[in-house]
Amino acid sequence: MNKSPKTRLELPAESRNESFARVFAASYAARLDPTLEELADIRTVISEAVTNAVVHAYPGKKGTVHITAQVLDGDTLEFTVKDRGTGIEDVARAMEPMFTTGGEERSGMGFTIMQSFTDKVTVTSKPGKGTVVKLRKRIRGKL
């Protein structure tokens, strides 16, 4: 597999930084000349992954969200969103539609949305150590 060098971004885990993460991801993706729909998908999945880190990884405390971006095989974007927060006890259950630990105001659709708008989502987590979400999307671009 051919990989570009990784580009890294670290943000305080605050909801106001979600929009900055979306802009970072869309700007990085622009190098592959994606369609507007592909850009919208990328912004959405990054938004969901960062929101999960802000809401669930660091409830009521400060933390950092780490994002890396990389191009694989010349046409596939891979974004990794990592936190060192509370972690997920049961990843399979957390990925079920409508499951949430965030209270009534959360829909529990974050991972489902990520899966719908990407080609591959991988989630690894250790309670007390944090979570890593890898998102891959092949860019078909303006054919």
Side-chain angles (χ1 to χ4, degrees), residues 2 22 44 51 62 74 96 98 103 109 113 120 130 134:
N2 183 17
R22 283 193 310 262
T44 299
T51 297
K62 294 185 180 200
E96 291 176 5
M98 308 302 287
M109 294 298 291
I113 291 167
K120 184 176 183 181
K134 286 193 177 198

Side-chain angles (χ1 to χ4, degrees), residues 6 42 51 61 65 77 85 114 133:
K6 290 182 180 178
I42 290 160
T51 297
K61 58 185 174 179
V65 178
L77 292 166
M114 288 181 234
V133 178

Side-chain angles (χ1 to χ4, degrees), residues 95-107:
M95 293 183 77
E96 291 176 5
M98 308 302 287
F99 177 81
T100 184
T101 59
E104 289 180 20
E105 70 278 357
R106 312 305 314 166
S107 70

Side-chain angles (χ1 to χ4, degrees), residues 53 56-58 61 63-66 81-89 124-133:
H56 300 289
Y58 304 109
K61 58 185 174 179
T64 303
V65 178
H66 306 266
V81 180
K82 178 180 178 181
D83 66 69
R84 293 188 178 101
T86 60
I88 301 170
E89 194 73 37
T124 55
S125 189
K126 291 187 179 183
K129 301 288 183 185
T131 301
V132 177
V133 178

Side-chain angles (χ1 to χ4, degrees), residues 113-142:
I113 291 167
M114 288 181 234
Q115 290 171 321
S116 295
F117 293 149
T118 61
D119 298 310
K120 184 176 183 181
V121 176
T122 306
V123 180
T124 55
S125 189
K126 291 187 179 183
K129 301 288 183 185
T131 301
V132 177
V133 178
K134 286 193 177 198
L135 306 157
R136 284 191 185 174
K137 181 163 183 73
R138 182 168 173 243
I139 301 299
R140 286 154 179 75
K142 298 168 180 84

